[in-house]
Amino acid sequence: MSGKKNRGSARAVPRAYGRLTRHERDTVQRMLERGASCREIARELGRSPSTVSAEVASHRFVTAPKSRRGERVDGSADLSAACPRLAAWPRCCNGCGRYRAIGCKRRPHVFYEARAAQLCADSVLVSSRRGIDADEPAAAARLEAIRDCLRRGLSPEQMAARNGGPVDLSPSTIYRWVSAGYDGMTNMELRRKVGYRPRKSAAGRAATRHSARRSHAAFLALGEDACAAAWEMDTVESARC
């Protein structure tokens, strides 16, 4: 058996999904606070050093001064005048020798925090799914095609190009555009969303039988004082009664 190490087996498996997970961001924060280098964190995550550096640089938040607390510092911001360690690695106060920058008089203090970084990344992902990913003429042509199909009574499934329709979009995208109100469209124009079936008319029922003493006329005959002091109720008749 050979004593040589198989270097290829130690390499990280290529990822199909490029975004960092919350667990990876927790690892970044924890290793930053231990003073780890960018390459050490990258080896731990199986990521490239540029990915780690860009992650830290783009998710830094101000803790001091108080007037700027919570402000996000963009990765392109030049903070070299405030502190040289903010312009190069570690690019935040987490990796500084002064734990949590206690006693440091330089401003601003900027920290990388995994929770805030995850919330920020999620909001960017959600916002990227909104709107129309096309230039104005192409978007106008697609919206007009959807409007024409709606006038003809077609459903989004029938409009979609993958089902042989004239609109080069998926049914879910068509539903989303209509629901979002693009070009003044509404869900009311989708026939299936406002469709209905007429109810079958129930067979005629015989009038409720009661004695003359329980009729409304008998109630009125009691006199105004008796009627004013009494409670008047309506009776609802159903098939279960």
Side-chain angles (χ1 to χ4, degrees), residues 21-230:
T21 64
R22 172 61 190 273
H23 174 71
E24 289 176 317
R25 290 188 167 101
D26 286 333
T27 302
V28 171
Q29 181 179 352
R30 185 174 63 253
M31 294 187 72
L32 271 172
E33 292 171 354
R34 294 208 313 254
S37 69
C38 181
R39 292 187 179 277
E40 288 174 340
I41 298 175
R43 280 196 298 270
E44 178 69 21
L45 300 180
R47 300 275 188 170
S48 68
S50 61
T51 298
V52 175
S53 178
E55 167 66 20
V56 175
S58 59
H59 294 113
R60 297 176 294 173
F61 298 87
V62 177
T63 60
K66 188 175 181 180
S67 59
R68 296 180 58 186
R69 185 172 296 172
E71 177 186 328
R72 181 186 174 190
V73 179
D74 189 75
S76 60
D78 183 12
L79 300 178
S80 57
C83 178
R85 305 202 71 181
L86 298 181
W89 185 262
R91 304 180 72 90
C92 60
C93 298
N94 301 52
C96 183
R98 298 175 182 268
Y99 182 68
R100 300 198 66 83
I102 295 176
C104 178
K105 299 186 180 301
R106 295 179 177 179
R107 295 291 188 274
H109 291 170
V110 292
F111 282 82
Y112 175 85
E113 185 183 359
R115 182 188 64 83
Q118 186 67 41
L119 291 173
C120 185
D122 288 343
S123 66
V124 171
L125 186 65
V126 170
S127 63
S128 66
R129 291 174 177 166
R130 297 173 181 164
I132 300 177
D133 185 18
D135 56 22
E136 191 170 345
R142 287 176 176 176
L143 290 170
E144 181 56 36
I146 294 174
R147 274 205 163 281
D148 180 61
C149 292
L150 288 175
R151 284 192 289 266
R152 289 159 51 195
L154 300 181
S155 67
E157 285 78 9
Q158 294 169 321
M159 299 180 201
R162 73 184 187 191
N163 298 329
V167 182
D168 185 21
L169 294 170
S170 66
S172 60
T173 300
I174 297 173
Y175 272 118
R176 182 169 60 84
W177 286 17
V178 174
S179 180
Y182 295 154
D183 200 25
M185 293 183 291
T186 65
N187 282 334
M188 296 297 290
E189 298 179 61
L190 296 170
R191 289 195 175 183
R192 284 197 171 186
K193 293 214 172 189
V194 294
Y196 69 93
R197 291 184 302 173
R199 290 186 178 180
K200 295 180 181 179
S201 57
R205 296 176 181 174
T208 304
R209 296 181 180 179
H210 52 73
S211 66
R213 294 178 57 191
R214 297 178 60 85
S215 65
H216 185 62
F219 173 73
L220 295 178
L222 294 176
E224 185 176 350
D225 293 339
C227 291

